[in-house]
Amino acid sequence: MKITLVRAMTRSAVFELINHSCYRAPAPYTVQLNGKTVLSGDTNVFSLFSLQPDTEYTLTVSDGSESAELHFATVPESFFVDAARYGLVADGETDNTAKLQAALSTCPKGGTVYVPAGVYRTQSLFLHSDTTLYLEKGCTLLGGTRREDYPILPGVLRDADEQKECYLGLWEGNPLDCFAGLINIINEANVTITGEGTLDGNAQNGDWYRNPKERRIAWRPRMFFTSHAQNVVLHGVKVCNSYSWTIHPTYTDNVDILDIRIRNSSTSPNTDGIDPESCKNVNIIGDHVHVGDDCIALKSGKVFMGMNCHVPCENVTIRNCCLSRGHGGLVIGSEMSGGVKNVTVTQCLMDHTDRGLRVKTRRGRGKYAVIDGLVFRNVIMDGVLTPFVINMFYFCDPDGRGDYVQSHEPQPVDEMTPTLGSLEMEDVTATDAQYAGCWFSGLPEQPIERVSMHNVTIDFAKDARPGQAAMMCGANASCKLGVWAENVRTVELHNVKIEGYEGERLQLTHVENFEED
C-alpha cells in the first residue's frame, strides 16, 4: 500500500492512495492520526479536517492486510477569524450577506475565516487574496432566492481611454452581464475554501429554472466563480442546487478542486458540475459529481473570446473521480474557441452518464479552437449509453442546424475552422452500452488527426434501446453500433474488443489510415 499527500492546508488535508483502481480503493481501510483512529473509507482519495495549523502529524492507513505511513504538516495561519463574532444569524432566513462579507473583507493576510455549524442565508460573497474560508461540518451557506438581491458582473469593462476591454461576466462563452456567483474570487490570489460544510444555491426554490435560456435582468449565476485569479483551492465541501454551471473557474492559473461532492437534480437545466474555462494547471482529483448536465466540461469561450484572447484551457489532470448521471462524463466544448490542450484523465468511474468521453465542436469556432493532447486512460464506464463521441458537427447555437455547420461537403479551411489533433484512449472498460461504442465525426476539410485506442473493451446491454449517439444533423438513432468513423486521418485499434454489437462492427468513411491488431 502506498499513499501520498495531495495538499495540506491550515486546518485540513487531502490524501490519495496510489494504486490502479478507479475511484474506489481495492479494499476498505481505516485511517489513524497520531495513533488514533479518525476515519474509515473506501475511496482512493480522502480528507481530514479540524486539524491544527502549522502542526506535524503522522498518518497511518491500513486495510487489514497492509498499511502505509505518512508524515505531513499543515500550513501556518496568521489569524483565526470566527465569523460568528460579526453577528451571524443561523436561522436559514435572515440575510447574512453583509456580515459574512465583513468577515471575509477584514480577515488579515494569511488568516482563516471560520463559519460554525448553522444555516446562513446569503447572496454573493467575494473572497480576497491570501485567505482561507473554512466551513465547519453542519454549516450551510444557503443562497437567497430573489435574483434582484444578487449583484451583476458586467460582461465588458472599458478602461479610462476606452482603448482596452476587460471581460468579467461570462455566459456560455460570451462576455455578457451575469449575476455574481454565491462564491466569487476575482483578481485575487492564494485563496482556499475548505471544510465539511455545504454551499447550497437553493435554486430550486427561486425562479432560476424557469425559462433558463431567457435573460432576466442578467444571466444566471454560478455557484463558484473565479476570474483572472491565481492559486485557488476548493476542497472537501458539498456543493448543491446550483443556479447554472456549478464550479466555473475562468482565466485562472493553478486551480485545485479536491474531494468535493456536487449534487444537482437530474432535471435541473444546464447545471454542469465542473467547467474550467481558459484555465491553466487544473487538478480535479477525488470528486464525486452527480448533475443535470455535463459532469466535467473543459471550455475556452466562443469565437469572440477565442479570437480576442485565444487563451486555451490547458494542463488539466482529472483523476480518481466518480462522474454520474450527467449528459457526459468528460466533455470538451462546445465553447472551446481558445483551444483545449494537454488533458489527462485517469482512474475515473463514469456511472450511467449519457456519454463517457465527449468532444463537441463545429465550424465557426475559429482557428484557435485546437483540441490536442488528450489522454484517457484506466477508466471504467458502467451503463454509459455511448462511451466515446467525437463530433465536429455539434448543432449548438442559433445557426447550428444550418448548412454551414452541418454540410458534409468540404468547405474552405479558413480562420473559422476548428482543429482536432491527437486523442488517446487506453485501458478502458465499458459495460451495458446502448447507442454506440464509438462515434467519431470529423470535418471533410479538416479531419480528426488521430484516434488511438489500446486495450479497450465495450460490451452492449442485452436490452439496449436506440438513441442518437452524436448531436448532429443526419445522425439517426442507433442501437448497438460498434464503431462509426468518418473524416479521420488515422484510426488505430489495438486490442479493442466490442461485444454484443449488431450489424457491421466497423463503419469507416474517409479514414485515410486504419490499423488494427
Side-chain angles (χ1 to χ4, degrees):
M1 174 182 285
K2 295 182 179 180
I3 186 171
T4 188
L5 173 69
V6 177
R7 190 176 191 108
M9 288 144 278
T10 55
R11 296 174 177 268
S12 58
V14 56
F15 307 88
E16 187 173 25
L17 300 177
I18 305 302
N19 53 48
H20 295 288
S21 65
C22 295
Y23 182 65
R24 300 205 176 276
Y29 55 83
T30 58
V31 178
Q32 290 187 328
L33 192 64
N34 292 345
K36 180 181 178 181
T37 300
V38 293
L39 176 70
S40 296
D42 64 354
T43 56
N44 282 332
V45 175
F46 65 91
S47 298
L48 297 178
F49 302 92
S50 300
L51 304 176
Q52 291 301 307
D54 198 16
T55 302
E56 295 183 355
Y57 290 96
T58 298
L59 179 81
T60 305
V61 181
S62 176
D63 65 5
S65 61
E66 56 180 338
S67 62
E69 186 174 276
L70 178 70
H71 302 281
F72 73 98
T74 51
V75 174
E77 175 183 278
S78 64
F79 289 87
F80 178 79
V81 180
D82 186 348
R85 296 180 62 188
Y86 289 69
L88 299 184
V89 180
D91 61 2
E93 297 292 335
T94 303
D95 186 356
N96 288 276
T97 308
K99 296 170 184 178
L100 284 166
Q101 189 61 58
L104 294 168
S105 297
T106 59
C107 180
K109 181 179 179 179
T112 295
V113 175
Y114 171 86
V115 186
V119 180
Y120 306 93
R121 180 67 71 94
T122 183
Q123 279 76 239
S124 303
L125 299 172
F126 295 81
L127 279 62
H128 297 285
S129 294
D130 303 302
T131 56
T132 294
L133 173 62
Y134 189 101
L135 304 181
E136 182 59 89
K137 186 175 183 179
C139 163
T140 297
L141 300 187
L142 184 68
T145 56
R146 282 172 35 91
R147 64 178 57 218
E148 294 84 358
D149 294 336
Y150 286 76
I152 296 171
L153 298 179
V156 180
L157 296 173
R158 290 182 171 85
D159 70 357
D161 297 328
E162 296 192 353
Q163 299 298 310
K164 296 180 181 180
E165 293 181 337
C166 173
Y167 307 116
L168 185 55
L170 291 173
W171 176 256
E172 296 188 347
N174 284 318
L176 300 171
D177 292 358
C178 299
F179 290 110
L182 191 67
I183 300 293
N184 304 272
I185 304 170
I186 298 173
N187 301 321
E188 306 287 353
N190 310 318
V191 182
T192 297
I193 299 93
T194 182
E196 296 178 89
T198 298
L199 300 173
D200 186 343
N202 198 23
Q204 75 282 7
N205 290 317
D207 65 355
W208 305 105
Y209 298 163
R210 292 183 219 143
N211 302 317
K213 293 293 188 179
E214 177 184 317
R215 180 184 184 275
R216 282 178 287 163
I217 305 176
W219 294 103
R220 286 183 288 161
R222 292 12 177 174
M223 282 291 293
F224 178 89
F225 177 76
T226 78
S227 178
H228 298 91
Q230 292 184 333
N231 307 325
V232 173
V233 181
L234 179 64
H235 165 241
V237 298
K238 178 181 178 181
V239 189
C240 59
N241 301 318
S242 180
Y243 321 89
S244 60
W245 296 351
T246 307
I247 310 300
H248 186 207
T250 72
Y251 297 90
T252 297
D253 291 349
N254 303 320
V255 181
D256 283 358
I257 303 169
L258 310 173
D259 197 17
I260 69 170
R261 293 156 294 150
I262 299 177
R263 300 289 185 273
N264 295 323
S265 167
S266 60
T267 60
S268 56
N270 310 112
T271 56
D272 292 18
I274 303 172
D275 286 16
E277 183 169 352
S278 296
C279 293
K280 184 177 181 179
N281 303 326
V282 180
N283 292 309
I284 302 172
I285 299 174
D287 302 316
H288 190 171
V289 182
H290 182 124
V291 293
D293 208 313
D294 296 329
C295 292
I296 299 174
L298 308 182
K299 300 177 179 292
S300 58
K302 286 185 179 175
V303 66
F304 176 85
M305 297 297 287
M307 289 296 191
N308 283 274
C309 303
H310 45 86
V311 177
C313 194
E314 61 181 334
N315 304 339
V316 180
T317 296
I318 302 168
R319 188 170 68 243
N320 272 319
C321 292
C322 179
L323 311 172
S324 65
R325 305 291 174 179
H327 293 177
L330 171 66
V331 179
I332 298 178
S334 67
E335 303 91 351
M336 40 66 71
S337 290
V340 177
K341 302 177 181 179
N342 303 328
V343 179
T344 301
V345 181
T346 60
Q347 290 183 263
C348 288
L349 170 63
M350 299 184 177
D351 178 21
H352 290 82
T353 56
D354 291 348
R355 298 158 187 87
L357 169 63
R358 183 185 187 192
V359 178
K360 47 186 183 179
T361 185
R362 46 151 287 183
R363 295 185 183 103
R365 284 294 183 247
K367 63 182 180 181
Y368 298 109
V370 178
I371 297 175
D372 197 18
L374 171 62
V375 177
F376 197 80
R377 179 186 299 120
N378 190 12
V379 173
I380 292 175
M381 302 185 194
D382 181 16
V384 174
L385 300 179
T386 304
F388 299 101
V389 178
I390 303 173
N391 176 15
M392 296 186 75
F393 295 95
Y394 184 56
F395 52 37
C396 61
D397 302 331
D399 66 338
R401 297 176 187 270
D403 289 342
Y404 172 67
V405 176
Q406 294 299 324
S407 174
H408 282 248
E409 294 299 318
Q411 304 296 308
V413 175
D414 55 25
E415 65 174 9
M416 304 306 293
T417 307
T419 300
L420 289 189
S422 173
L423 304 100
E424 299 182 11
M425 302 82 150
E426 182 177 3
D427 298 329
V428 180
T429 300
T431 55
D432 290 334
Q434 296 198 32
Y435 302 165
C438 306
W439 187 291
F440 308 137
S441 286
L443 297 174
E445 70 273 15
Q446 190 84 293
I448 301 167
E449 186 65 33
R450 177 172 163 268
V451 175
S452 177
M453 306 182 78
H454 294 255
N455 305 324
V456 175
T457 299
I458 300 172
D459 185 14
F460 285 98
K462 293 181 180 178
D463 59 350
R465 293 181 294 180
Q468 189 175 23
M471 295 178 69
M472 55 184 284
C473 296
N476 297 325
S478 61
C479 186
K480 300 184 180 182
L481 187 156
V483 176
W484 170 277
E486 60 174 332
N487 303 319
V488 185
R489 288 200 171 92
T490 299
V491 174
E492 301 175 359
L493 305 181
H494 303 289
N495 191 30
V496 175
K497 300 177 182 179
I498 304 176
E499 301 176 353
Y501 65 90
E502 294 181 354
E504 296 183 33
R505 176 173 173 271
L506 305 176
Q507 298 185 40
L508 310 179
T509 304
H510 299 133
V511 173
E512 297 177 18
N513 304 294
F514 176 73
E515 299 178 19
E516 183 173 25
D517 55 42

